């Protein structure tokens, strides 16, 4: 039930963010089309003051945080509308825009790509469209999206580029948040099932190339429902967060721990030597987990010991594929859980009991 509510909550949040982004993108596309129309008029020498275009131009810039620019390629002169100054961290009139200043503000890692895009536009006449970071004088980093095209004279020679730029920092942050929600558990910050399967697939490919083993450990907390029922969901969340923190402490840089729902965690241990005794290796792994999870957790005024059940499957000993390995480890965990508290089960073998307090 907890897993269902968490899934529903995450789904609602993701849906709301997606709707906001779609509506914002639709509005910005409309405004960008409007800008391109006005810029095309300017490039053709027509006035943008007819039909209240100038007022509409300023109003749209203010609300959409979009600015207009033009660059005289032969003189290095750069014109910025008022909205652009703030996008680069300056006050209006504080500096004199120039192409050299613009380049110095672009993040060093993006500078070459932006320059190449502008040169390509000048050489081919293709529309210019780039996303890049700018570094403000105080060190703040913002994301901008710049679009533009060339302006030619009567002899068909390129004399300038004109375009629009808008701040997309919030859109980037929203997209990053959605990406994080899609790949990580919002409570513990651990990878979710999707990332677990991606990393397990990579680990198995690496093991095949290096002739090493991969151990998969399913970890289930015993009595977790009773904690939720007796102390409330906040206490249950505290147990899950503490468990995640403790499991991460036993991992090497190449290992992974994920939360796949409720009170179930999965650990991937890769690069294990094929020469070691399988039973000894499993016992050593499970002992480390039992020891790390054995200290009590403070819940209100109580100190609670949280028991665990572990199921272990090893590649290639127990299964040659990812799906089969996951299935065997899951079955082993449930077999250990049926046999009592703080026990582990290796593959298809009989349960082996390990008491945390006796290790």
């Amino acid at each position: 039930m907890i897993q269902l509510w968490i899934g529903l909550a995450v789904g609602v949040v993701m849906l709301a963010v997606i709707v906001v982004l779609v509506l914002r993108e639709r509005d910005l596309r409309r405004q960008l089309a409007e800008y391109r129309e006005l810029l095309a008029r300017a490039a053709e020498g027509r006035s943008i003051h007819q039909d209240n275009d100038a007022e509409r131009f300023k109003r749209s810039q203010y609300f959409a945080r979009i600015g207009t620019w033009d660059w005289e390629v032969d003189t290095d002169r750069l014109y910025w509308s008022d909205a652009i100054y703030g996008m680069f961290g300056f006050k209006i009139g504080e500096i004199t825009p120039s192409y050299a200043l613009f380049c110095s503000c672009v993040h060093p890692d993006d500078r070459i790509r932006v320059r190449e895009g502008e040169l390509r536009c000048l050489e081919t006449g293709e529309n210019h469209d780039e996303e890049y970071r700018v570094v403000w004088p105080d060190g703040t980093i913002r994301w901008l999206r710049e679009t533009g095209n060339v302006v030619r004279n009567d002899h068909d020679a390129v004399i300038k580029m004109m375009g629009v730029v808008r701040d997309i920092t919030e859109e980037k942050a929203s997209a990053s948040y959605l990406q994080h929600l899609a790949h990580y558990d919002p409570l513990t910050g651990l990878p979710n099932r999707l990332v677990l399967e991606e990393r397990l697939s990579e680990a198995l490919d690496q093991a095949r190339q290096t002739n090493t083993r991969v151990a998969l450990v399913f970890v289930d907390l015993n009595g977790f429902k009773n904690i939720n029922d007796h102390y409330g969901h906040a206490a249950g969340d505290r147990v899950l967060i503490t468990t995640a923190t403790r499991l991460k402490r036993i991992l090497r840089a190449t290992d992974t721990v994920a939360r796949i729902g409720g009170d179930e965690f999965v650990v991937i241990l890769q690069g294990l030597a094929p020469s070691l005794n399988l039973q000894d290796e499993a016992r050593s792994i499970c002992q480390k987990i039992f020891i790390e999870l054995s200290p009590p957790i403070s819940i209100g005024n109580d100190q609670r010991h949280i028991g665990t059940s572990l199921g272990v499957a090893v590649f290639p000993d127990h299964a040659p594929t990812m799906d089969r390995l996951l299935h065997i480890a899951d079955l082993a965990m449930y077999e250990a859980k049926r046999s009592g508290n703080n026990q582990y089960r290796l593959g298809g073998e009989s349960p082996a009991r390990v008491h945390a307090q006796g290790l």
Side-chain angles (χ1 to χ4, degrees):
M1 181 62 71
I2 296 174
Q3 182 179 359
L4 174 62
W5 281 112
I6 292 176
L8 287 173
V10 172
V12 170
V13 172
M14 292 182 67
L15 179 62
V17 174
I18 290 173
V19 170
V20 170
L21 287 176
V22 169
L23 292 176
R24 179 184 295 173
E25 181 66 20
R26 183 180 301 171
D27 187 53
L28 287 173
R29 284 182 182 276
R30 179 187 59 77
Q31 291 172 349
L32 281 172
E34 186 176 277
Y35 278 130
R36 290 193 177 102
E37 177 188 349
L38 294 175
L39 286 170
R41 290 184 187 181
E44 295 170 5
R46 289 185 285 158
S47 172
I48 67 170
H49 292 279
Q50 58 188 11
D51 301 324
N52 295 318
D53 280 345
E55 181 61 30
R56 181 158 51 97
F57 214 53
K58 292 181 179 179
R59 187 171 62 252
S60 297
Q61 286 189 6
Y62 176 79
F63 287 108
R65 288 182 298 178
I66 298 178
T68 56
W69 56 270
D70 66 72
W71 168 39
E72 294 181 359
V73 296
D74 291 333
T75 66
D76 199 42
R77 174 189 171 276
L78 183 64
Y79 163 79
W80 281 352
S81 66
D82 290 351
I84 296 184
Y85 286 86
M87 297 182 195
F88 284 78
F90 300 110
K91 296 178 180 178
I92 299 174
E94 180 181 358
I95 46 88
T96 300
S98 69
Y99 186 72
L101 173 69
F102 161 75
C103 290
S104 69
C105 293
V106 175
H107 193 287
D109 293 343
D110 300 341
R111 205 169 288 161
I112 293 177
R113 175 172 52 81
V114 173
R115 174 64 175 169
E116 289 175 347
E118 290 170 340
L119 290 177
R120 186 165 53 251
C121 178
L122 292 173
E123 293 170 359
T124 67
E126 297 177 359
N127 287 336
H128 175 60
D129 192 337
E130 293 284 351
E131 294 181 359
Y132 57 85
R133 293 162 292 178
V134 293
V135 183
W136 287 10
D138 65 0
T140 299
I141 295 178
R142 304 288 292 182
W143 276 94
L144 304 181
R145 182 176 179 181
E146 173 184 288
T147 61
N149 46 39
V150 297
V151 178
R152 300 177 184 274
N153 60 18
D154 294 338
H155 303 288
D156 202 34
V158 174
I159 57 174
K160 66 168 62 178
M161 282 184 66
M162 300 181 66
V164 298
V165 61
R166 63 185 176 94
D167 191 315
I168 59 170
T169 305
E170 292 182 4
E171 295 170 46
K172 284 287 187 180
S174 297
S176 178
Y177 178 62
L178 279 176
Q179 182 78 358
H180 185 82
L181 281 181
H183 293 85
Y184 292 88
D185 171 45
L187 177 63
T188 64
L190 294 179
N192 62 13
R193 182 182 289 273
L194 177 63
V195 177
L196 169 74
E197 293 182 355
E198 291 176 353
R199 294 188 183 178
L200 181 56
S201 178
E202 294 171 358
L204 297 187
D205 288 341
Q206 181 69 19
R208 294 185 184 101
Q209 297 173 14
T210 58
N211 191 31
T212 55
R213 280 172 168 160
V214 176
L216 191 66
V217 186
F218 271 54
V219 181
D220 184 84
L221 305 183
N222 299 327
F224 180 73
K225 183 179 183 302
N226 292 333
I227 290 176
N228 269 331
D229 292 344
H230 184 73
Y231 295 98
H233 292 293
D237 289 349
R238 190 178 308 118
V239 169
L240 294 173
I241 294 171
T242 301
T243 300
T245 301
R246 291 177 177 180
L247 286 173
K248 286 191 291 186
R249 285 203 291 256
I250 68 172
L251 299 183
R252 302 163 300 172
T254 56
D255 299 332
T256 295
V257 57
R259 182 185 175 214
I260 60 173
D263 58 343
E264 291 188 5
F265 299 82
V266 178
V267 177
I268 303 173
L269 302 164
Q270 59 186 102
L272 305 180
S275 58
L276 297 177
N277 180 274
L278 190 59
Q279 287 73 22
D280 291 342
E281 187 79 343
R283 183 182 301 110
S284 175
I285 292 170
C286 291
Q287 285 176 346
K288 290 179 181 178
I289 294 176
F290 281 130
I291 290 173
E292 191 63 46
L293 298 183
S294 64
I297 298 176
S298 297
I299 302 177
N301 296 324
D302 296 336
Q303 296 286 316
R304 291 294 301 266
H305 290 274
I306 310 299
T308 54
S309 299
L310 311 180
V312 185
V314 179
F315 171 88
D317 305 77
H318 293 132
T321 64
M322 179 179 70
D323 289 343
R324 185 62 182 161
L325 199 69
L326 287 165
H327 181 64
I328 291 176
D330 194 27
L331 290 178
M333 184 271 291
Y334 279 106
E335 182 61 34
K337 195 175 185 69
R338 284 192 292 267
S339 303
N341 197 28
N342 289 335
Q343 296 192 36
Y344 73 88
R345 175 79 179 269
L346 173 62
E349 299 178 352
S350 59
R353 184 160 188 167
V354 180
H355 290 280
Q357 61 269 29
L359 298 176

